[in-house]
């Protein structure tokens, strides 16, 4: 179970930057391909004239849609945090320390001296981070050598565990808190339906809102597990260390996550769609576009992202029955049936009766990895569980994380390359947690005692 | 100390702010962003002022009550000054962002005007200030207990809620007036806003003598509301036009 959780984290961490990249690709791509999307013939334009205005249009488009995208991410992040904070405040199970710890954090923190405790927590954090690094490397190797079935089986199993086992425990604890009696038959029915619908929505197809809701729920469940089973100092150290790791893994040239992103780019494939929160489903009812005929290769558009239906399938190699032998046979009998660049451009030149897609900006969705949800919610959940300043600290961490996310998206709009989503938000969150708990809380308490208002 | 007190005080303190948010801000993503960034700036100012207060308390190492109280009063006034400084800083940031947005948009005008930003920024400050003052008190009011059992005032919760409401509205009005003063380079407006903020904080020092603190604060709130209305372009003519237009619409419909 624990290895699977870490796998989930790794993959979702990968999902982060790839999603960031996918988002920028998606944001920049349709901006340039928009002409084709509308069914209008692409007017041949001289490249050098087009570049400036195109880039300005791109900048304007990414900024004009920037605020909307930020809000499209604020809402699910807020919902996840609200679920975690509400659970922490009401269900005492997740704040009780019954002495059990994950196998990745073997050192205990209930030692005599402060120095011993610091040492133990650092060792715990080092072990946990090395486990995550190893898992990420395994994942990158598996991806590079195209062992897709292994990866998908891994993801399937981890989601199975989350949707059935952890939600069963969660439901049991909620019932215990509110003293609700329920028989096993009804419980089995509820858990079975919840789990199966979740698996279908996440790994296959389902209504968008339902899929988003399930992704939020499993992120919240993971965050709650971490809050319960990680000891105090270890948890804070892991948060700090994982944001540093995220930064290094995405931005360093030899970082594993960067290699993953580049490999996926080369193969033009989406990465692990089951572990990415997506705010809209982009589906185009016209043909696949190749990358720009202009050689602007700074960010090739991942087309598969824009071709998915209701929910992205996790089967990049599914050829739907059109096996190569069948295609060859058809080509012998009927002539070429695959569209080529020239045939597509010919079709595009023809006037189209297809109405342009109604909401261009709606189609340009944002994606955020589930690992980010998990760690943001873990930070806010820990703030509400352990801070003596109670709601002030929680509120401060919440605002800090949202501002960090906003800044990350702003940097994304400016730099247009894969960026990690954890470092800025977690840094702000940690700074505000410790500052609010130690500095602001005594000040506000004193003010409240005397009823002074600032 | 019941659920009724909790809901009553929550609605008194946050009702108008919540209504303003739902009706004027929630639909526009840019305004939501400006609101949350405004809340963040207020939080930063609070952080710095708490740091200064904390250092002062630790440095003085005071045990007697009067010294601690005077340090707290110093903390209050310093925090007010820092809040206004951060409001000015936020104004500069918003102006720069607005210019950037206008420069790259199609028709050389930005999506949001300075007056709207002033209102939203003021509301952001107000909501965060209100939340930090009130939420811990609200969560305590849900639990068991007796108010004022040691001889303090019985009206703690409701006066806190009323004071929070006044401060939230005041921050909104101050935001509008402050930004307007900065736009037109009227430094006396800015000085007046700072003085009024100091005055309101000073009036709150009279608590628990609520007669001396609450009515004057509400009078100031009302006057600030009128000033903000006129400084953001409203006039008696607009008001009468609104009423007569409504009457005309009702007559024609």
């Amino acid at each position: 179970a624990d290895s699977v959780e870490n796998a989930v984290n790794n993959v979702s961490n990968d999902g982060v930057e790839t999603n960031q990249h996918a988002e920028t690709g998606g944001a920049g791509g349709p901006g340039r391909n928009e002409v084709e999307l509308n069914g209008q013939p692409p007017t041949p334009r001289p490249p050098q004239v087009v570049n400036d205005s195109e880039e300005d249009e791109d900048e304007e488009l990414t900024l004009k849609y920037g605020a909307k995208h930020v809000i499209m991410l604020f809402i699910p992040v807020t919902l996840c945090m609200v679920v975690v904070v509400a659970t922490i405040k009401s269900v005492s199970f997740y704040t009780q320390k019954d002495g059990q710890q994950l196998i990745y954090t073997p050192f205990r923190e209930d030692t005599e001296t402060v120095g011993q405790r610091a040492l133990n927590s650092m060792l715990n954090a080092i072990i946990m981070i090395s486990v995550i690094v190893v898992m990420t490397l395994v994942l990158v190797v598996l991806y590079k050598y195209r062992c897709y079935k292994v990866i998908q089986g891994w993801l399937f199993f981890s989601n199975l565990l989350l949707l059935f086992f952890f939600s069963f425990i969660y439901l049991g604890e909620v019932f215990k808190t509110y003293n609700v009696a329920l028989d096993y038959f009804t419980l089995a029915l509820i858990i079975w339906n919840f789990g199966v619908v979740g698996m279908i929505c996440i790994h296959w197809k389902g209504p968008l809102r339902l899929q988003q809701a399930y992704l939020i729920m499993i992120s919240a469940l993971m965050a709650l597990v971490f809050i319960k089973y990680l000891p105090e100092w270890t948890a804070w150290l892991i948060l700090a260390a994982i944001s540093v790791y995220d930064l290094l893994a995405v931005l360093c040239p030899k970082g594993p996550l960067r290699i993953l992103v580049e490999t996926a780019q080369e193969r033009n494939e989406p990465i692990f769609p089951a572990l990415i929160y997506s705010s809209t489903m982009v589906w185009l009812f016209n043909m696949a576009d190749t990358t720009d005929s202009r050689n602007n290769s700074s960010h090739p558009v991942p087309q598969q992202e824009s071709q998915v239906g209701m929910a992205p399938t996790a089967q990049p190699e599914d050829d739907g029955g059109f096996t190569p032998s069948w295609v060859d046979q058809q080509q012998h009998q009927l002539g070429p049936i695959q569209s080529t660049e020239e045939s597509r451009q010919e079709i595009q030149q023809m006037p189209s009766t297809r109405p342009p897609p109604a909401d261009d900006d709606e189609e340009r969705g944002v994606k955020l990895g589930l690992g980010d949800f998990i760690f943001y919610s873990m930070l806010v959940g820990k703030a509400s569980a352990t801070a003596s300043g109670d709601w002030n600290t929680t509120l401060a961490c919440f605002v800090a994380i949202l501002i960090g996310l906003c800044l990350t998206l702003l940097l994304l709009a400016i730099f247009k390359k894969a960026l990690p989503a954890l470092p800025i938000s977690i840094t702000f969150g940690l700074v505000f947690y410790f500052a609010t708990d130690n500095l602001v809380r005594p000040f506000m308490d004193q003010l409240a005692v005397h009823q002074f208002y600032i | 100390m019941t659920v009724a007190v909790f809901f009553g005080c929550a609605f008194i303190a946050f009702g108008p702010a919540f209504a303003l948010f739902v009706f004027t801000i929630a639909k526009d993503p840019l305004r939501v962003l400006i609101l949350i960034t405004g809340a963040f700036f207020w939080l930063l100012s609070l952080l710095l002022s708490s740091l200064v207060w904390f250092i002062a308390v630790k440095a003085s190492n005071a045990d007697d009550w009067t010294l601690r109280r005077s340090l707290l009063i110093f903390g209050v006034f310093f925090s007010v000054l820092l809040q206004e400084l951060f409001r000015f800083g936020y104004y500069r940031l918003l102006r720069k962002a607005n210019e950037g947005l206008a420069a790259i948009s199609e028709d050389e005008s930005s999506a949001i005007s300075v007056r709207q930003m002033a209102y939203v920024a003021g509301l952001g400050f107000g909501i965060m200030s209100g939340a930090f003052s009130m939420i811990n008190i609200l969560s305590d009011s849900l639990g068991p207990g007796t108010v004022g059992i040691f001889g303090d005032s019985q009206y703690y919760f409701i006066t806190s809620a009323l004071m929070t409401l006044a401060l939230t509205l005041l921050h909104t009005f101050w935001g509008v007036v402050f930004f307007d003063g900065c736009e037109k380079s009227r430094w006396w407006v800015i000085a007046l806003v700072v003085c009024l903020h100091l005055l309101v904080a000073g009036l709150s020092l009279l608590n628990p003598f609520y007669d001396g603190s609450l009515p004057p604060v509400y009078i100031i709130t009302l006057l600030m509301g009128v000033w903000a209305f006129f400084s953001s372009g409203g006039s008696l003519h607009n008001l009468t036009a609104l009423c007569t237009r409504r009457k005309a619409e009702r007559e024609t419909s």
Side-chain angles (χ1 to χ4, degrees):
Chain A
D2 301 325
S3 63
V4 168
E5 287 158 29
N6 285 318
V8 165
N9 279 336
N10 301 337
V11 179
S12 27
N13 276 335
D14 311 334
V16 167
E17 358 359 89
T18 61
N19 305 329
Q20 301 288 12
H21 184 83
E23 187 232 323
T24 50
R32 253 176 283 117
N33 291 336
E34 211 163 358
V35 179
E36 284 94 27
L37 290 184
N38 284 335
Q40 311 297 324
T43 52
R45 291 177 286 198
Q48 51 276 37
V49 174
V50 144
N51 260 345
D52 280 24
S53 57
E54 270 290 307
E55 266 171 34
D56 284 349
E57 263 180 33
D58 278 348
E59 268 179 44
E60 170 225 310
L61 288 170
T62 49
L63 247 87
K64 214 157 71 170
Y65 300 128
K68 196 173 219 164
H69 290 176
V70 174
I71 301 301
M72 285 202 277
L73 280 183
F74 272 13
I75 295 177
V77 169
T78 308
L79 277 175
C80 194
M81 289 187 203
V82 162
V83 168
V84 170
V85 170
T87 309
I88 294 275
K89 287 292 183 191
S90 53
V91 179
S92 61
F93 171 73
Y94 287 102
T95 44
Q96 282 165 357
K97 301 284 178 192
D98 22 346
Q100 242 185 324
Q101 288 186 201
L102 298 174
I103 58 169
Y104 303 110
T105 54
F107 296 97
R108 308 206 59 88
E109 277 195 19
D110 43 2
T111 56
E112 289 102 35
T113 63
V114 170
Q116 185 71 21
R117 184 177 187 184
L119 185 68
N120 279 0
S121 56
M122 271 194 283
L123 289 171
N124 275 341
I126 290 174
I127 294 177
M128 187 78 155
I129 298 292
S130 2
V131 166
I132 291 179
V133 171
V134 163
M135 296 271 193
T136 315
L137 289 172
V138 165
L139 195 75
V140 171
V141 163
L142 282 175
Y143 190 72
K144 227 174 156 68
Y145 291 109
R146 300 179 185 268
C147 310
Y148 295 129
K149 297 295 181 193
V150 178
I151 298 175
Q152 279 159 26
W154 189 4
L155 293 181
F156 194 83
F157 177 66
S158 73
N159 274 338
L160 208 69
L161 201 70
L162 274 171
L163 280 169
F164 287 95
F165 184 55
F166 286 130
S167 54
F168 167 66
I169 294 178
Y170 178 80
L171 208 58
E173 292 304 324
V174 168
F175 287 152
K176 269 188 226 171
T177 308
Y178 291 108
N179 208 12
V180 173
L182 193 69
D183 56 308
Y184 274 117
F185 293 113
T186 316
L187 184 69
L189 196 68
I190 293 174
I191 297 285
W192 173 252
N193 279 301
F194 179 79
V196 168
V197 174
M199 292 306 287
I200 291 176
C201 275
I202 295 174
H203 286 274
W204 193 49
K205 291 180 192 157
L208 177 67
R209 293 290 177 218
L210 198 59
Q211 187 202 24
Q212 292 174 343
Y214 269 106
L215 289 175
I216 292 176
M217 277 190 268
I218 63 178
S219 310
L221 282 173
M222 272 302 290
L224 285 169
V225 163
F226 277 151
I227 294 174
K228 180 172 172 63
Y229 287 114
L230 286 179
E232 272 301 313
W233 295 12
T234 310
W236 297 116
L237 280 174
I238 285 180
L239 274 173
I242 202 145
S243 42
V244 171
Y245 166 68
D246 203 19
L247 190 70
L248 292 174
V250 174
L251 295 179
C252 288
K254 278 299 167 190
L257 299 179
R258 187 164 170 155
I259 295 177
L260 191 71
V261 167
E262 285 165 0
T263 318
Q265 263 179 257
E266 283 165 29
R267 297 182 193 168
N268 265 330
E269 281 168 0
I271 306 182
F272 315 128
L275 278 172
I276 301 171
Y277 175 92
S278 170
S279 61
T280 61
M281 277 305 130
V282 183
W283 53 286
L284 306 175
F285 39 80
N286 47 14
M287 66 296 139
D289 286 335
T290 55
T291 55
D292 282 348
S293 40
R294 298 190 305 261
N295 280 331
N296 197 350
S297 59
S298 55
H299 29 117
V301 179
Q303 292 109 24
Q304 264 83 347
E305 300 274 86
S306 33
Q307 277 177 346
V308 295
M310 297 278 271
T313 63
Q315 305 273 347
E317 288 183 329
D318 185 12
D319 47 8
F322 291 92
T323 57
S325 55
W326 185 88
V327 169
D328 285 334
Q329 188 199 15
Q330 291 293 311
Q331 278 188 333
H332 277 296
Q333 290 180 344
L334 303 173
I337 56 172
Q338 301 272 28
S339 61
T340 59
E341 179 76 17
E342 297 80 21
S343 68
R344 263 175 275 174
Q345 279 191 349
E346 267 182 38
I347 305 282
Q348 285 167 11
Q349 301 280 350
M350 296 189 325
S352 162
T353 53
R354 218 180 297 125
D359 301 275
D360 285 353
D361 42 351
E362 291 295 312
E363 291 187 4
R364 214 167 304 172
V366 271
K367 295 178 174 62
L368 187 65
L370 288 194
D372 298 323
F373 279 87
I374 293 174
F375 284 111
Y376 294 162
S377 313
M378 183 182 143
L379 199 154
V380 176
K382 277 211 85 64
S384 73
T386 57
S388 40
D390 246 358
W391 291 99
N392 284 349
T393 319
T394 312
L395 205 57
C397 289
F398 167 71
V399 171
I401 287 180
L402 286 186
I403 294 293
L405 188 61
C406 182
L407 279 175
T408 310
L409 288 172
L410 186 69
L411 284 178
L412 195 69
I414 294 176
F415 288 113
K416 298 195 201 319
K417 57 179 254 192
L419 286 180
L422 279 180
I424 301 182
S425 288
I426 299 286
T427 312
F428 276 12
L430 287 175
V431 164
F432 273 81
Y433 171 78
F434 287 110
T436 312
D437 201 29
N438 296 314
L439 298 175
V440 176
R441 180 190 50 87
F443 186 48
M444 294 306 286
D445 279 349
Q446 285 294 306
L447 289 179
V449 162
H450 293 103
Q451 255 187 325
F452 293 165
Y453 282 85
I454 53 172
Chain B
M1 301 291 287
T2 57
V3 173
V5 170
F6 171 76
F7 278 113
C9 290
F11 289 143
I12 289 178
F14 296 119
F18 185 63
L20 284 173
F21 175 77
V22 165
F23 289 122
T24 58
I25 295 187
K27 295 259 168 55
D28 187 359
L30 196 56
R31 291 185 195 172
V32 175
L33 267 181
I34 296 180
L35 186 88
I36 297 194
T37 317
F40 180 69
F41 269 71
W42 186 89
L43 198 61
L44 275 178
S45 81
L46 179 68
L47 209 81
L48 284 177
S49 48
S50 327
L51 179 66
V52 167
W53 173 81
F54 192 76
I55 293 175
V57 164
K58 288 295 176 197
S60 72
N61 210 3
D63 273 331
D64 60 341
W65 182 81
T66 46
L67 184 57
R68 277 223 299 265
R69 194 185 155 90
S70 23
L71 275 178
L72 194 63
I73 294 175
F74 159 72
V76 166
F77 287 127
F78 186 72
S79 171
V80 166
L81 291 173
L82 262 186
Q83 282 177 47
E84 296 304 323
L85 188 68
F86 270 77
R87 205 198 295 274
F88 183 68
Y90 193 39
Y91 164 75
R92 297 290 290 269
L93 180 71
L94 281 178
R95 283 284 277 151
K96 216 172 277 192
N98 207 20
E99 281 161 17
L101 271 178
I104 64 171
S105 76
E106 292 170 335
D107 47 355
E108 284 298 317
S109 73
S110 84
I112 190 167
S113 75
V114 178
R115 279 183 181 155
Q116 290 172 357
M117 288 198 298
Y119 158 69
V120 175
L123 189 61
F125 268 56
I127 288 181
M128 203 59 180
S129 158
F132 259 65
S133 315
M134 198 60 196
I135 289 202
N136 271 337
I137 297 175
L138 279 178
S139 84
D140 282 338
S141 77
L142 266 178
T146 307
V147 192
I149 196 169
F150 292 119
D152 300 303
S153 160
Q154 275 184 324
Y155 303 111
Y156 184 79
F157 287 129
I158 195 153
T159 50
S160 299
L162 286 170
M163 201 61 194
T164 307
L165 170 66
L167 266 179
T168 308
L169 291 175
L170 273 172
H171 269 291
T172 315
F173 299 146
W174 281 331
V176 172
V177 169
F178 191 95
F179 278 39
D180 190 55
C182 288
E183 281 282 294
K184 304 195 174 118
S185 300
R186 290 186 192 153
W187 307 114
W188 61 270
V189 165
I190 297 175
L192 193 53
V193 166
V194 175
C195 289
L196 278 175
H197 197 169
L198 287 169
L199 179 65
V200 167
L203 282 173
S204 79
L205 293 177
L206 292 174
N207 282 332
F209 178 53
Y210 298 124
D211 287 338
S213 67
L214 275 178
V217 167
Y218 269 89
I219 292 174
I220 295 179
T221 311
L222 213 62
L223 291 173
M224 279 303 308
V226 169
W227 185 8
F229 176 72
F230 282 114
S231 96
S232 63
S235 63
L236 284 174
H237 178 75
N238 284 0
L239 272 180
T240 51
L242 181 69
C243 300
T244 52
R245 202 180 313 140
R246 242 194 234 145
K247 223 191 304 178
E249 281 175 10
R250 219 177 297 137
E251 279 168 12
T252 53
S253 65

